[in-house]
Amino acid sequence: MQLDHLDVYLGDPWFNPAKATVRDVVYEAAQTVDPYHSTFSFPGSIQPAKGTLAAEVIDVPTDYELVFKITPTGTIRGWRNVMHFSLGGNCCSYGDRSPAVWFAPGSTRLYVVAGHINDPNADYYSPRPGLPLNVETEFKLIVAGAKASVFLNSKLVGELSQGPRTKFEYLQFWLSDPWYGAAKADISDISFGPAAITESPSPIVNITGTARTGDGLISSFDQISYGEGQDYEESTLVVSTDFSTVSMEGNIWRALPIIPPITVNEKTVIEFDFKLTQEAEINAICLDEDLDVIPDFRCFVLAGTQGERHGMYDFDNQASVGDTEKHFVIPIGSYYTGVMNYLAFVQDNDRKISLGSSEFSNIRIYEQVFFPLKVSIDGTLGTLPIQNQVEYGEVQDYAHNFLSVSDDGFSIHMRGNVYKAIPFVDSVHIGENMVLDFYFEVEEEAEFNAICLEEDLVLSPGKRCFVITEAATTVKYMYKIPEVTSLETGQRHYRIPVGRYFSGYMNYIVFVQDHDADILGGASTFKNISLFEPSPLEIKVNGVTKALSNQLSYGVEQDEKAHMIVVSEDNKSSGGMLGNTWKALEFPEPITVTKNTIISFDFDLQNEVDLHAICLDDDLENGFGSEDTQRCLVLAGSQKINDKYHVLEKASLSETHSYIIQIGAYFTGEMKYLGFVQDNDQGHFLAGESSFSNIEIFDGVSCLEDTDFEFNFNECTIDNFLYGVESELNTNHENCVNNAWVELVTLFGVTDSAEITEKVGDVCAEAYAAMQLSFEQITHDKNQFDEEFFDGGSVWNYGKQTVQYGEATNVLSKDAVMVAVTDTDVAGKRAISWPTMHNFGECDLPAAMCCWVADRQADAFGGTCSSSPSYGEGCIDADPDNNSDLCYVDFSRSKRSSHVQDGYSIYGNGAEGGLNCHGFAWSNFAGNSQNALKGNLLFETAMNSALYEHGYVEQVPGAPMCGCVESMPVVSRAECTELEVNQSIEVRYRREFKLFTAKVSIANIGYIPCSGETVNDFSSYFRSLYDAGKVTLAQEVQFNQHVVGADKCEEAIGDFLMTKGFISEYYQTKTYLQVTDVVMGPYLGARDIHLFTDGNPEAARWRQTPNGSVLSKNENLYVDLDLGGTYDISRIIVWHYYLDTRQYYSQTVEISLDGVAFKTLWETGIGQLGPVETAAGNNIQLYKPVKGRFIRHRCGHSTRNHGVHFIEIAFYA
């Protein structure tokens, strides 16, 4: 009955009110459950709740499909219901669970019941451990015919048999039921309805391809005997629960029907893994149109002891007991084609039918996809149909191994013994200059690999194949080019001048991987194949472009025929060399080199070998004739250089180096050839890679030498100087072909553009010197006072402010009044010279530092010196602000300051008390303001800021108070100052004197905390100078050994104590990296090479460890070391011969991950000296750890003789 209205009380008038708070009161019409007819769906998301009747289904189908998505959010003890279809009861009558789904107790493992009349509680458990928490999984249950199939994320995970079922008029759908607690899960996209298929077979074989759509399925339930009278029905063929493996025990000839059938065409392949655990007479797999083995044989024998195979295909490389799974790929379409209805498995064992055991897994039947091979021919990218591959060399090829091409078409892969030819679409003409270029990579070793260009398919003498990798001793009928390797893993670049070997029209490109010993073994890949005639190299001679095309061998028996200079198609002024190459290009007409002739070019070094050079020559002998003069300019390389060569500034790896050389200063005369040398006699012929570009040869006549001109800039740099010269050329000499570099070579009268930087620096430095105040004039005392002050003595350091007879004494504002005068009148607008006293002089590093241990100025900025309670008491033992930790002092580094020959003191852990250190640094370029005004920085740091403003005084015992960084105590850190200069510089060229002069006008010199990754941090600032190219890597590494970094005193002390024969506690726990292999470079010898890494740096063993000799200070020899694994390397220590305080030239330490591409960690610079050798070795402390496995150490000769001596090396992580 419908009521018109109701009264609502909160609470009512008949009872006392409850003691409670009530909120969110809602009163509305009750929801009803609408019945669904056969099918329903809930697209939204819901969380199951116990006793929730979600729907009623009428006319329920007997074959049905239930689908939903479920995301478990937790587990609970006990059975937890997800959903339940029921006539009204829980269990265990037919219709109580049709179907129902639970989580098993305490898990997310699904328990599924799909009842039928014979078993109302027919159940299934999903695989352990269950569904993943908080991850969505799609569940599907298909009940159809005699089977119920469970799918998770479209993968069949289980089946259970189904008996007869009757149609229900209705079922209740609970989400979840009232009999169990609800599952903790989110459920969405629920659908229920008639089953879409009538059967759900087991997918033991995956079948794809154009012959049929989608994945094909083969039933494991419908096993049929194959081959009349052969099968023993009691033997078992079992499919694993995940349907990936078929196992057989005993004598079995069994076929599984393929529904629907598949069509085998010429592209069809069957691929699988096979494992034999007990021998039988025959093991085979078959794909057949019927159940008769005879007369059409469709089987492939994989193993067996029986000689007679009943006409089956006897597949090679058969399996044996004890093998791991053997992988087979059988191109069925190469044997037969047609419609196939059965997949059959054979394990024949008539003599003892219970024996024999094997399994097949991961079976796939598919059509091979043939991507065409892309090959560039004369700059045009063409395609070669890979399906047209044919056998080459009669009986050499193994027919069942095929070439395959990558999806992008640029790589072709070989596995096993392969001799395959692919026809060109049109014949390719091979001319005299034709080059075959490709990359090649070995993944698994074979006997040899080759590539061929052929007229026909016959392998015979005079053939056109090139062996590129070789493990066998003899290869017939093929060219054995110098690049042959020992089949190492890794990609290599090959460039073969095929036109130098043969010519004519070729119809095939052939790929060979010979491996008779194991016809399925060996794997390799060719990539980026191209055939082309190199373009002529374009150079300029006196402004006219010349094309040089005729490449000739240069030098007596030096050149490799297989190597050429390859000119870039994009930039015909660039030519590259790969491997050992000595080539000369003939000028169209000879050129004359005079004393004014200049050659300019760019050189890019990618892989350094023995010698890299460019030459101008009148013949092809390269100085080997008795009357010949060497006309080559050496740019890089580690080889010994004789006096005939002219060595220039050496190029660095992976950097483009521009050269402008007044070649007439070295030789003159008529030249016929431009020569290029990349010499690698000692190493692998493929090693070495470089390129030359933008080559110009011209008469270096200056356009400006008879002109007065001037230009201005705010900071003296080589770039600003060049810009000024270039502007003059562009403005007043438009017809001049010279650039600024060329002009400066001629105007400065140098032979090499590398000298220009030094000349420009000198011009600017002289400008600052012209307006300097001598440092000695600041104090108006003799030089002795200044030296005593910087050593930490004099009244400025020892005087402490106090009061005597009512008046203040030792007041800095009076005693050091000249500091204030200099600060006001000079330091802010005029250069102050760098002092010549012993603390400074020529610093090894472009950096200086002061460290103070006392505060003498009461109530100044910082420090503990105070006027309270009185001047006398407040400044006794007063400390400066503490900003650093003192590690140790080596008295020998500052003998004139410490007044002792040797000795040391060890600190660490803050044992020194209050210590304040402050430094500054400058560019190596003499004309830079930070360099030219470093005297101002010293004045500001030591006298004005520290002494006059803060009152910081006195030195660490055994060390100077201020000095070059290398003479100071080793400390953890320091603060620092840099200049901020407002200035203008005027540069003039005066034709009368053929001279550049400069004048500096300084408006203001400011002093600011130094920049860097960390502001006001000395180490960070010095690193920024290295990053900007203002100091060298060797200087940066050496600096880190003096200002070692926060918390690194213990490590620094350990390093120092090693030099004194002690092993600190720190080093006893430090990770020392073992070297697994040592390889000497050319021209080195050793009685025992491994002594170089045995931990014993005894100099007297120099004859046993690697040693050699070089003539020039620009040369070096090297040793390669392998750590056996990749490490974060933080420190390297190198020992050379050290018993007579010698130094060695041209040192580097380089690191690599792969042993090919090396990065420089530390260097002295080519032709530059390293540190003095000591028993402590050269300690290379890296700014940050660097990851690597391979180390290369280069070293030149010493200051005592031409010997190169590698004594010991150590690495630390």
Side-chain angles (χ1 to χ4, degrees), residues 427-667:
S427 296
V428 176
H429 181 257
I430 304 299
E432 180 182 1
N433 294 318
M434 184 68 80
V435 170
L436 174 62
D437 189 278
F438 58 90
Y439 288 84
F440 179 73
E441 183 171 4
V442 173
E443 292 102 36
E444 182 181 325
E445 184 176 299
E447 291 171 22
F448 70 86
N449 293 85
I451 189 170
C452 322
L453 297 172
E454 283 291 6
E455 296 173 315
D456 53 40
L457 299 173
V458 180
L459 177 60
S460 60
K463 288 291 101 177
R464 300 168 179 86
C465 294
F466 299 91
V467 178
I468 54 176
T469 61
E470 181 183 25
T473 56
T474 303
V475 179
K476 294 182 179 180
Y477 311 144
M478 297 184 181
Y479 296 110
K480 189 175 179 181
I481 62 174
E483 294 91 332
V484 173
T485 73
S486 58
L487 290 171
E488 57 194 79
T489 299
Q491 180 173 278
R492 290 189 176 274
H493 186 188
Y494 290 79
R495 188 179 291 151
I496 305 173
V498 291
R500 301 300 173 97
Y501 294 87
F502 54 82
S503 60
Y505 286 89
M506 301 298 133
N507 299 311
Y508 302 93
I509 184 168
V510 182
F511 301 94
V512 173
Q513 182 166 274
D514 185 89
H515 206 28
D516 301 319
D518 180 4
I519 56 176
L520 294 183
S524 59
T525 301
F526 288 87
K527 301 178 182 179
N528 302 329
I529 303 169
S530 61
L531 277 162
F532 59 92
E533 289 195 1
S535 299
L537 179 65
E538 293 182 355
I539 71 169
K540 287 186 177 181
V541 178
N542 290 321
V544 179
T545 299
K546 304 286 185 180
L548 311 184
S549 59
N550 190 19
Q551 298 192 23
L552 305 170
S553 289
Y554 182 54
V556 178
E557 297 181 355
Q558 293 288 341
D559 187 39
E560 288 301 331
K561 180 179 179 180
H563 297 159
M564 297 183 71
I565 299 169
V566 175
V567 178
S568 169
E569 291 298 320
D570 298 328
N571 179 12
K572 291 183 171 55
S573 69
S574 176
M577 294 185 290
L578 182 68
N580 186 74
T581 306
W582 291 65
K583 284 292 188 295
L585 302 181
E586 189 173 7
F587 293 118
E589 57 277 330
I591 66 170
T592 300
V593 175
T594 70
K595 65 177 183 179
N596 295 322
T597 300
I598 287 177
I599 183 171
S600 67
F601 56 89
D602 294 329
F603 177 64
D604 188 14
L605 180 63
Q606 294 299 322
N607 187 351
E608 187 176 19
V609 285
D610 297 345
L611 180 66
H612 300 264
I614 189 170
C615 317
L616 287 173
D617 215 328
D618 59 351
D619 59 32
L620 297 173
E621 294 186 352
N622 186 246
F624 284 91
S626 59
E627 302 299 325
D628 275 354
T629 299
Q630 177 58 254
R631 298 186 175 91
C632 289
L633 306 175
V634 177
L635 312 175
S638 57
Q639 181 171 303
K640 295 180 180 180
I641 307 300
N642 64 42
D643 294 337
K644 291 185 178 182
Y645 285 86
H646 309 291
V647 180
L648 305 182
E649 179 184 16
K650 290 198 174 183
S652 301
L653 283 172
S654 302
E655 292 183 5
T656 299
H657 196 107
S658 296
Y659 289 89
I660 300 173
I661 311 299
Q662 191 164 359
I663 199 167
Y666 296 104
F667 53 84

Side-chain angles (χ1 to χ4, degrees), residues 11-82:
D12 65 27
W14 303 286
F15 296 93
N16 291 328
K19 297 189 69 175
T21 300
V22 180
R23 62 183 181 184
D24 300 335
V25 179
V26 177
Y27 181 82
E28 59 185 15
Q31 294 181 347
T32 59
V33 176
D34 295 327
Y36 290 86
H37 186 81
S38 300
T39 302
F40 72 87
S41 63
F42 293 153
S45 178
I46 190 170
Q47 294 179 343
K50 184 175 181 179
T52 301
L53 182 60
E56 287 187 353
V57 187
I58 61 177
D59 294 329
V60 181
T62 56
D63 288 355
Y64 58 84
E65 179 179 298
L66 171 65
V67 181
F68 59 86
K69 294 177 181 176
I70 180 168
T71 304
T73 58
T75 59
I76 311 175
R77 295 178 61 185
W79 293 93
R80 296 291 161 170
N81 185 249
V82 176

Side-chain angles (χ1 to χ4, degrees), residues 834 839-840 842-851 893-894 918-922 960 962-971 974 1018 1022 1035 1038-1044:
W834 187 246
N839 291 15
F840 305 102
E842 294 294 330
C843 294
D844 291 340
L845 293 173
M849 183 171 66
C850 299
C851 287
R893 294 179 180 175
S894 53
H918 202 103
F920 55 93
W922 54 90
C962 298
C964 300
V965 162
E966 62 268 18
S967 67
M968 294 296 292
V970 174
V971 297
F1018 201 12
F1022 203 86
Q1035 289 171 329
Q1038 188 179 351
F1039 177 88
N1040 292 334
Q1041 296 170 10
H1042 297 280
V1043 185
V1044 298

Side-chain angles (χ1 to χ4, degrees), residues 628-844:
D628 275 354
T629 299
Q630 177 58 254
R631 298 186 175 91
C632 289
L633 306 175
V634 177
L635 312 175
S638 57
Q639 181 171 303
K640 295 180 180 180
I641 307 300
N642 64 42
D643 294 337
K644 291 185 178 182
Y645 285 86
H646 309 291
V647 180
L648 305 182
E649 179 184 16
K650 290 198 174 183
S652 301
L653 283 172
S654 302
E655 292 183 5
T656 299
H657 196 107
S658 296
Y659 289 89
I660 300 173
I661 311 299
Q662 191 164 359
I663 199 167
Y666 296 104
F667 53 84
T668 59
E670 188 175 81
M671 303 297 150
K672 299 178 181 179
Y673 304 98
L674 177 63
F676 299 93
V677 174
Q678 183 167 272
D679 183 66
N680 191 26
D681 298 323
Q682 304 298 317
H684 188 281
F685 280 98
L686 267 182
E689 186 169 4
S690 62
S691 63
F692 292 84
S693 57
N694 305 318
I695 301 171
E696 295 188 39
I697 303 171
F698 52 93
D699 289 332
V701 178
S702 172
C703 302
L704 300 178
E705 65 177 351
D706 294 325
T707 305
D708 289 335
F709 62 93
E710 62 185 48
F711 49 87
N712 299 276
F713 40 69
N714 294 325
E715 179 60 74
C716 186
T717 67
I718 185 62
D719 289 338
N720 286 342
F721 207 98
L722 288 168
Y723 180 79
V725 175
E726 196 73 43
S727 297
E728 174 64 21
L729 288 171
N730 294 335
T731 303
N732 299 316
H733 302 269
E734 296 178 358
N735 296 325
C736 183
V737 296
N738 295 344
N739 61 26
W741 280 106
V742 173
E743 281 295 327
L744 290 179
V745 167
T746 57
L747 294 176
F748 279 126
V750 297
T751 59
D752 185 347
S753 55
E755 301 174 55
I756 292 175
T757 300
E758 181 179 351
K759 292 290 186 180
V760 169
D762 291 342
V763 169
C764 293
E766 289 170 6
Y768 287 103
M771 43 93 74
Q772 279 181 348
L773 172 72
S774 171
F775 203 99
E776 287 76 14
Q777 290 183 263
I778 295 174
T779 61
H780 288 289
D781 278 303
K782 293 182 180 180
N783 195 48
Q784 182 178 355
F785 177 87
D786 293 343
E787 288 192 352
E788 188 178 357
F789 167 72
F790 284 119
D791 280 341
S794 81
V795 295
W796 282 6
N797 278 293
Y798 296 145
K800 299 291 190 296
Q801 186 167 336
T802 184
V803 175
Q804 291 185 359
Y805 307 109
E807 290 202 14
T809 62
N810 296 326
V811 179
L812 273 174
S813 60
K814 296 179 181 179
D815 295 347
V817 67
M818 285 307 300
V819 172
V821 172
T822 303
D823 179 51
T824 302
D825 296 344
V826 179
K829 51 193 173 185
R830 183 179 172 189
I832 299 175
S833 71
W834 187 246
T836 57
M837 57 197 67
H838 66 262
N839 291 15
F840 305 102
E842 294 294 330
C843 294
D844 291 340

Side-chain angles (χ1 to χ4, degrees), residues 204 353 528 606 766 829 875 921 985 1053 1101 1121 1206:
I204 63 170
I353 57 177
N528 302 329
Q606 294 299 322
E766 289 170 6
K829 51 193 173 185
C875 292
I985 303 173
I1053 292 169
R1101 303 190 309 168
L1121 305 108
F1206 297 90

